[in-house]
Amino acid sequence: MKLLIPPPSTTPLSAILPSEPLLLMGAGPVPIPQAVAQANGVIINHLGPTMDRVIRNVKTLASYAFQTRSDKIIGLAGPASAAMEMAVSNLCWPGRKVLCLRNGTFSGRLGEMASGVGADVTHIESPPGRPVDLATVREAFERRSYDVITMAHGETSCGVKTVETPEICRFAKSAGALTIVDTVVTLTAMPVQMDEWGIDVGVTGGQKALSSIPGVSLCAFSADAWLAVEQHPGPRPHWCYDALRAQRFWGGQQYHYTAPVPGILALHEALRLVADETLERRFRRHEMSSLALQSGLEAMGLSLFASKDVRLNSVLGISLPPRVDGTRVREHMTKFFRVEISGAFGLDIVRIGQMGEQCRSHNLFKTLYALGMSVAREGVKLDIAAGMAALEQGLAGDHEYFVD
Ligand SMILES: *Cc1c(COP(=O)(O)O)cnc(C)c1O
């Protein structure tokens, strides 16, 4: 036998990965706790009593994270975008009127997905740096009614929070519309109260605020949303992301597709750590960490992109001084400080994540120093010492929040 393709020369992963791992301080993925990493290395049968117990726990823990009594919590193999796709494709179909609140990449993606399944989509645009507000949503409903409203609670691309998410969701309930809310960067980083606010589908991924691995995500459906799922006239556009089929596994321990076992075990551990920390303490840690970093950045002489009233604490957009090349700054941070932060899609900003394990004091000092030194190297006058002092002051006295 003669094989067409000879074996390629190989390189072990250890020769590809950097000898010292980069500290991931961008908009995701984020560093993961040891327990999550270990769980991700375990494989068990995807069906049977052990997995049943894991799934039951994941649902209980996720209902705490989402603050919902709904038992329609469904995990899926796929990125957060797949969970967005599950939410959209089960609630939207041809003839459904969808209002997409768009102020950046991810909130816009929900609208693209709704168009993709043939829904009648109207966009409300907000300039980058601002969220869509309740008054604008009300005006849209005065002109026409909608079946579904989509929005991102935290818009990662520009570091903006839809601050009126609770009000918009409550209004939607009163107007008979369902809400799909992307909580990828906010769930467990700041309050998200699914039942209190009347969110109909909450969506999150693993690799952002939950500090788990990418590729396993969650969708939580309210009772109203589930009615719509059941009323989908068909044909159902997705097989894997069909919530009814997925519920066979997540509600009935039956085979749908082979579940991403290690990723679900990792998610179990990430959610367990959230419950052990408690949401109150976790919110406080995130808030304190982000505010301290913000004051450090400003004291150094840098400015934040989003204004304070709508700033997303879990992903900070930083405007660089004129003529400073963001790509060069980030490259220098990686090469000399082993810290990685994000650029942005189109906007002239760099972004620092404040999600999960990123909100630890040692990570903050390293990141702020690395950014300050790398910007100063571009010829900008920064007061790095003042920045570090402001960070230290922001964290002072509360270190117990930063111990894991
Ligand atoms: C990262 C992100 C997503 C998409 O996550 P993927 O896992 O890349 O699909 C969706 N929404 C928000 C707000 C995000 O930050």
Side-chain angles (χ1 to χ4, degrees), residues 4 69 82 97 127 152 171 327 358 363 367 388 401 404:
L4 189 62
R69 293 209 167 86
K97 288 175 289 191
F171 168 75
T327 307
Q358 293 176 324
N363 293 340
T367 305
M388 300 311 291
Y401 279 98
D404 54 358

Side-chain angles (χ1 to χ4, degrees), residues 46-109:
H46 66 116
L47 296 171
T50 307
M51 194 62 182
D52 288 352
R53 190 149 173 227
V54 170
I55 295 297
R56 269 203 307 274
N57 276 356
V58 167
K59 288 177 65 171
T60 305
L61 293 163
S63 62
Y64 173 64
F66 277 108
Q67 289 290 294
T68 181
R69 293 209 167 86
S70 171
D71 66 343
K72 299 295 186 299
I73 293 179
I74 298 185
L76 58 153
S81 301
M84 293 158 82
E85 196 129 45
M86 176 180 267
V88 169
S89 64
N90 282 273
L91 260 50
C92 307
W93 51 82
R96 291 276 267 182
K97 288 175 289 191
V98 177
L99 186 64
C100 169
L101 314 189
R102 178 164 69 185
N103 65 335
T105 310
F106 297 108
S107 47
R109 187 173 292 177

Side-chain angles (χ1 to χ4, degrees), residues 27 79-82 84 106 109 152 154-156 182 184-185 207-208:
S81 301
M84 293 158 82
F106 297 108
R109 187 173 292 177
E155 176 51 78
T156 316
D182 173 336
V184 176
V185 294
Q207 81 278 26
K208 307 277 181 87

